[in-house]
């Protein structure tokens, strides 16, 4: 067995057809284009009921009374449950801090908090029954920002905290605080010729995955329950659900249903416990499907943030120091806030060399909607701010913004502010060079022989301009994201791989609990199995809890960690297969004992290419099966006072160039092109890699110019929970996204790969902002930018 | 109430339909055709797009009763619809095909057996499918556009698909897929 995380050095290479490095097509593609792929909201069971959640209409209130009698009396209603009906004393859940009530207990802390649940024979009956539940609230004052949340007399969102962060935070309404101190900022500041400061605001972004939260809970004869669910991590759900249901984990069976996107929004539980409670209560299968309105209340969002930055630089363009304070609004429950704080602080410098830093990041408890994981996870907010600072510094110094960045770019060997050395390629300057070298889109591309094609202009078919008042701008940004779970987390995955002869052909079966959420992990697992086992046929077993945990489909980690687990299990299977071969055929050919043997094209071959046996003959009717956990290199916690520690596994880098055209009179922005260069270590599936980069880029574009959940600062109520009012980019808003993929291997990772899903979401937003600043000359210290910010009417 | 309409060339009857139910709900929950998707149920995302008497509509915004006596094509029927169109657009289903439908019922085909339309195959080949939740609506919309505009410009494609949200792909591979489908339909590739 190789040591944890060490490269195995026994990769077979990629000579097998359909192996790694090829753009093989998705195994679920045909089902998805014919409408037959079963998503969680497509589940159906004879005799099933529909569940509905009643949510709080106010953000912060004591619950004086709940009257469910009218709801229960409605024909077709099978059950109504409140806090008092929960089966055990475990009534809270949470990813790290168990502070989230399954159903509100005497108090609600944010708008849309679950208060009661209903099961009925038709979804409309369930909705009407929920509406008949009478809840009397006594409203409490709300805290909604740092000032109100940390005031001496502030209302506490959670009284009597006893979580492991409670002891080190300066105020009970601060979930977690992470300072990072390195070098000597005071003296470094003295060396600075220019100092720039900035205060930046990052709006609340929603994951807006298209498949709504949904699932089907089926009660089982042994008193357990089987949940078919869309999630990012089956075993994390299970760990949180079983104690609340009062069941041992082996009586809560979980099968992954089709997942319609995730982007962090399915890391926390949504309807899982509610559906199981209703199924166990009624003895009938219960399906819950959120509509889009409820989905906005049913999952955490990206932390909105205030970021205060100071940078200094010498006249010749070298950064001297950086001070920053990052205030993340975690909302009413902790969710992933502590880890987001760890990321925001440790990545707050960006991909630059700065030896002297003074950093603080905190997450608040407020009565705003809970915030947690979303693609980019704390690094996104920081990147928006430090990249704005880089442009300001370049301007102060009269330098080219790309050259200034390249002058300060980190490289392999640079120390992070945490003291951790970056010990794999960090081609920051090269990515900037590449993205800058791409040809620019032609000017005035809306002009045609028949006049202006308004579809190419800001405002589009609204026909607001034919080119008058339209100016172009170009902007650049680069970012750094960590890959995998950090700060000492035991971030393992499990894979079970089986090899046997089926219908005269060697077949590998790969079974993991990895949540395929659209990223293409299932495609890659089959490629790895073909590469390592030399078979053509690979079956991907549905993901469920009959196999060990795969960890979360987040933090850009699945290809690295579950891919690594699949690779490792395949290698062990291969060794066993070869052992069988030696036992059966070893006496017929000396190469069995002396040569390096490979599995290729369904055969055992020597590294010289000589065929020794068919796998069909080697295996006969034997099946070889291995299930094994696999771990990357361990990480350490950050010191709570200094922030020092080898906290991260791997880093991922992307750079963007944005070209925008702005109608300065109306404040309308058209992003003309958003080019990206990213180092991916090794592209296991180039088609999927580019798809991830383009998708991540577009989510960054969304939060640059349109996406924001608006929360009323007086009431903490959500104002725009719909796709009518919360806008995500359409195909008209999204430009061409040329992608330049760089492959510099990370020797610590399987195949040298680098987690790729999140990095493109970081630099996309600040690149668009930089381009708009370049076009308009405006400062623009918040995102998203709306027309009023460009026309001076905000 | 009872609603009678034609889905993918086959007469369908839905009983006990509550008057407030949408066409989308009846397709998904009563007729066993969950291919049309429920991403927003408010007419903003296009994931529930079907053809209603040939016209692409958000089936979440069509009351089930409005479909009475009309013809609906969903993603499940897209391949058959394309096959019929290539035969000259005659209405009705040949007897052998109708029998094949009856034998399995709608939605009973497995992925391997399915014969795909040009646009469906192009979405797979171009990498336009990630989570796939937007895919059915996009396929119906793209197929309809290619029906009347076989050689669309990029601006035409963007305009025609602007009612269909996708959160995974950034639309680039969807553009590629539609360009590929157009080229394949016209025999260029």
């Amino acid at each position: 067995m190789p040591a944890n995380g060490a490269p195995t050095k026994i990769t077979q290479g990629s000579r097998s057809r359909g192996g790694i490095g090829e753009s093989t097509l998705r195994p679920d593609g045909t089902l998805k284009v014919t409408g037959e792929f079963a998503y969680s909201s497509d589940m159906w069971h004879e005799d099933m009921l529909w569940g509905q959640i009643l949510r709080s209409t106010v953000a912060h209130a004591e619950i004086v009374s709940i009257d469910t009698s009218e709801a229960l009396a409605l024909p077709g209603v099978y059950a109504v449950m409140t806090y008092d009906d929960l089966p055990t004393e475990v009534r809270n859940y949470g990813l790290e801090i168990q502070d989230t009530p399954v159903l509100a207990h005497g108090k609600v802390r944010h708008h849309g908090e679950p208060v009661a649940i209903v099961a009925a024979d038709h979804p409309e009956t369930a909705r009407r029954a929920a509406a008949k539940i009478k809840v009397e609230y006594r409203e409490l004052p709300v805290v909604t920002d740092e000032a109100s949340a940390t005031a001496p007399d502030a209302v506490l969102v959670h009284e009597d905290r006893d979580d492991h962060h409670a002891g080190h935070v300066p105020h009970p309404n601060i979930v977690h605080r992470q300072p990072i101190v390195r070098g000597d900022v005071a003296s470094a500041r003295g060396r600075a010729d220019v100092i720039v400061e900035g205060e930046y605001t990052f709006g609340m972004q929603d994951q807006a995955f298209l498949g709504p939260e949904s699932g089907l809970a089926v009660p089982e004869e042994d008193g357990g329950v089987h949940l078919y669910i869309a999630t990012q991590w089956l075993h994390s759900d299970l760990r949180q659900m079983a104690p609340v249901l009062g069941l041992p984990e082996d009586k809560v069976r979980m099968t992954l249903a089709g997942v319609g996107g995730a982007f962090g929004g399915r890391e926390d539980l949504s309807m899982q416990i509610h559906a199981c409670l209703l199924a166990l209560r009624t003895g009938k299968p219960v399906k819950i499907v959120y509509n889009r309105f409820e989905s906005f209340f049913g999952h955490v969002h990206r932390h909105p943030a205030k970021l205060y930055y100071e940078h200094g630089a010498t006249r010749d363009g070298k950064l001297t120091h950086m001070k920053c304070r990052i205030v993340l609004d975690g909302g009413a429950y902790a969710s992933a806030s502590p880890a987001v704080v760890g990321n925001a602080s440790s990545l707050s410098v960006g991909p630059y060399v700065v030896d002297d830093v003074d950093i603080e990041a905190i997450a608040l408890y407020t009565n705003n909607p809970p915030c947690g994981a979303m693609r980019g996870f704390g690094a996104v907010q920081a990147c928006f701010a430090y990249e704005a600072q880089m442009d300001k510094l370049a301007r102060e110094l009269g330098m080219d913004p790309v050259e200034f960045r390249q002058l300060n770019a980190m490289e392999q060997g640079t120390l992070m502010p945490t003291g951790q050395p970056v010990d794999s390629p960090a081609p920051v300057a090269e990515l900037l060079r590449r993205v800058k070298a791409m040809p620019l889109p032609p000017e005035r591309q809306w002009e045609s022989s028949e006049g202006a094609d308004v579809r190419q202009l800001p405002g589009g078919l609204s026909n607001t301009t034919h080119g008058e008042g339209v100016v172009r701008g170009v902007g650049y940004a680069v970012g750094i994201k960590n890959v995998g779970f950090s700060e000492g987390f035991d971030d393992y995955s499990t894979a079970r791989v089986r090899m046997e002869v089926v219908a005269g052909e060697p077949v590998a079966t790969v079974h993991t609990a990895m949540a395929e959420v659209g990223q293409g992990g299932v495609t890659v697992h089959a490629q790895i199995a073909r590469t390592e086992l030399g078979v053509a046929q690979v079956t991907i077993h549905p993901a469920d809890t009959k196999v060990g945990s795969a960890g979360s489909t987040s933090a850009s980690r699945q290809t690295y960690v579950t891919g690594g687990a699949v690779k490792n299990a395949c290698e062990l299977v291969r060794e066993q297969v070869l052992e069988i071969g030696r036992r059966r055929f070893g006496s017929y050919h000396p190469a069995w004992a002396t040569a390096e043997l490979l599995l290729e094209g369904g055969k055992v071959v020597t590294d010289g290419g000589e065929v020794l046996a068919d796998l069909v003959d080697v295996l006969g009717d034997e099946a070889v099966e291995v299930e094994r956990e696999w771990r990357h290199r361990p990480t350490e916690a950050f010191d709570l006072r200094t922030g020092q520690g080898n906290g991260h596994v791997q880093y991922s880098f992307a750079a963007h160039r944005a070209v925008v055209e702005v109608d300065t009179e109306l404040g309308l922005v058209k992003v003309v092109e958003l080019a990206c260069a990213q180092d991916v270590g090794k592209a296991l599936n180039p088609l999927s890699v580019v798809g991830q980069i383009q998708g991540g880029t577009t989510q960054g574009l969304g939060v640059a110019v349109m996406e924001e959940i608006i929360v009323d600062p007086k009431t903490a109520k959500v104002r725009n929970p719909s796709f009518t009012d919360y806008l995500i980019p359409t195909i008209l808003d999204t430009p061409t996204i040329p992608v330049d993929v760089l492959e510099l291997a990370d020797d610590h990772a399987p195949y040298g790969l680098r987690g790729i899903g999140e990095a493109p979401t970081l630099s996309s937003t600040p690149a668009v902002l930089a381009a708009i600043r370049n076009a308009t000359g405006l400062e623009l210290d918040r995102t998203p930018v709306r027309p009023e910010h460009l026309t001076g009417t905000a | 109430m009872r609603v009678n309409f034609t889905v993918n060339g086959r007469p369908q009857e839905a009983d006990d339909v509550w008057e407030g139910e949408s066409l989308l709900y009846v397709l998904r929950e009563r007729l066993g055709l969950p291919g049309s998707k429920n991403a927003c149920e408010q007419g903003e995302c296009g994931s529930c797009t079907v053809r209603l008497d040939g016209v692409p509509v958000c089936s979440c915004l069509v009351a089930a009763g409005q479909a009475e006596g009309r013809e609906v094509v969903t993603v499940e029927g897209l391949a058959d619809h394309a096959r019929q169109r290539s035969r000259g657009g005659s209405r009705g289903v040949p007897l052998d095909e109708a029998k094949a439908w009856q034998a399995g019922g709608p939605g009973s085909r497995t992925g391997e057996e399915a014969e795909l339309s040009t646009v469906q195959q192009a979405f797979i080949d171009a990498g336009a499918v990630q989570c796939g939740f937007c895919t059915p609506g996009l396929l119906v919309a793209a197929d309809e556009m290619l029906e009347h505009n076989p050689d669309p410009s990029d601006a035409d494609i963007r305009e025609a698909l602007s009612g269909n949200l996708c959160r995974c792909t950034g639309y680039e591979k969807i553009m590629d897929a539609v360009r590929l489908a157009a080229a394949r339909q016209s025999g260029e590739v």
Side-chain angles (χ1 to χ4, degrees), chain B residues 9 12-13 15 18 21 30 44 51-52 58 60-61 77 91 93 97 103 110-111 114 124 130 178 180-181 187:
Chain B
Q12 293 282 358
E13 183 179 287
D15 279 323
W18 171 62
E21 285 177 18
R30 297 194 182 276
E44 294 288 353
R51 306 276 293 267
L52 183 62
C58 286
C60 73
L61 294 184
R91 294 227 158 167
V93 183
E97 275 188 34
T110 67
I124 296 176
Q130 287 188 28
V178 179
L180 179 62

Side-chain angles (χ1 to χ4, degrees), chain A residues 110 119 177 264 290 320 328 366 372 412 426 458 507 533 543 786:
Chain A
H110 70 91
R177 173 177 181 269
Y290 291 178
T320 54
L328 302 149
T366 67
Q412 187 162 354
V507 175
L533 297 173
R786 286 191 288 267

Side-chain angles (χ1 to χ4, degrees), chain A residues 295-326:
Chain A
S295 179
F296 274 95
F297 295 99
H299 60 258
V300 301
H301 312 291
R302 187 192 299 290
H303 290 73
K306 288 270 187 194
L307 307 101
Y308 309 88
Y309 266 81
E310 177 189 302
H311 280 90
T314 58
R315 187 55 60 199
D316 60 357
K318 292 296 276 187
L319 289 167
T320 54
H321 73 285
M322 187 280 271
K323 292 202 296 184
C324 75
R325 250 191 111 237
I326 299 175

Side-chain angles (χ1 to χ4, degrees), chain A residues 211-286:
Chain A
E213 292 90 339
S214 46
L216 176 71
V218 183
E220 301 211 308
E221 283 179 3
D222 64 357
V225 65
H226 196 145
L227 182 66
Y228 299 83
I229 184 68
T231 180
Q232 290 177 231
W233 187 357
L234 288 167
H235 288 80
S236 167
D237 288 6
L238 174 62
R239 195 187 66 239
Q240 296 173 79
M241 290 162 60
V244 177
L245 299 174
L247 292 171
E249 288 192 0
D250 62 3
K251 284 201 173 179
V252 181
R253 287 123 198 154
M254 311 269 294
T255 300
L256 189 74
V259 185
F263 317 117
R266 297 188 210 268
E267 264 193 47
D268 296 74
L269 295 178
S270 58
M271 43 56 66
Q272 284 90 329
I273 296 176
H274 297 152
C276 292
L277 285 170
L278 290 169
L280 292 166
R281 168 63 77 99
T282 61
K284 286 171 171 286
V286 173

Side-chain angles (χ1 to χ4, degrees), chain A residues 39-44 48-55 103 116-120 123 126-127 211-217 227-230 266 270-279 285-291 294, chain B residues 28-29 38 41:
Chain A
Y39 294 90
S40 54
S41 56
D42 301 339
M43 299 288 134
W44 189 89
M48 77 180 185
L49 302 176
W50 291 78
Q52 175 71 37
I53 294 105
L54 176 71
R55 293 174 180 275
L103 292 167
I117 49 177
V118 177
R127 271 192 288 274
E213 292 90 339
S214 46
L216 176 71
L227 182 66
Y228 299 83
I229 184 68
R266 297 188 210 268
S270 58
M271 43 56 66
Q272 284 90 329
I273 296 176
H274 297 152
C276 292
L277 285 170
L278 290 169
V286 173
K287 172 171 169 170
I288 295 180
V289 182
Y290 291 178
N291 61 21
E294 184 168 19
Chain B
R28 290 174 53 79
E29 303 294 340
N38 55 318
E41 297 179 85

Side-chain angles (χ1 to χ4, degrees), chain A residues 30 32-33 36 39 41-42 122 128 206-207 287 292 455 695 698-699 707 723-724 729 731 734 737, chain B residues 18 21 28-29 37 39 42 44 109 111 120 129-132 156 158-159 165 167-168 170-172:
Chain A
T30 300
K32 283 181 173 177
V33 299
E36 291 166 44
Y39 294 90
S41 56
D42 301 339
H122 189 283
R128 290 179 182 189
D206 188 65
Q207 296 84 354
K287 172 171 169 170
R292 185 52 52 180
R455 296 178 297 188
T698 304
Q699 291 183 358
E707 294 185 34
F723 279 164
T724 311
I731 198 167
T734 309
I737 306 170
Chain B
W18 171 62
E21 285 177 18
R28 290 174 53 79
E29 303 294 340
K37 286 290 168 274
Q42 56 187 178
E44 294 288 353
R109 294 166 302 156
Q120 285 171 317
V129 179
Q130 287 188 28
C131 92
D156 293 341
R158 291 187 192 276
E159 188 179 340
L165 296 176
R167 191 56 160 167
C168 293
Y171 302 104
E172 279 286 81

Side-chain angles (χ1 to χ4, degrees), chain A residues 665-684:
Chain A
E665 291 163 15
L666 294 173
L668 300 175
V669 176
K670 167 119 187 142
V671 181
V672 176
E673 189 200 77
L674 200 39
C676 183
Q678 182 168 342
D679 174 28
V680 306
K682 164 76 182 172
L684 265 56

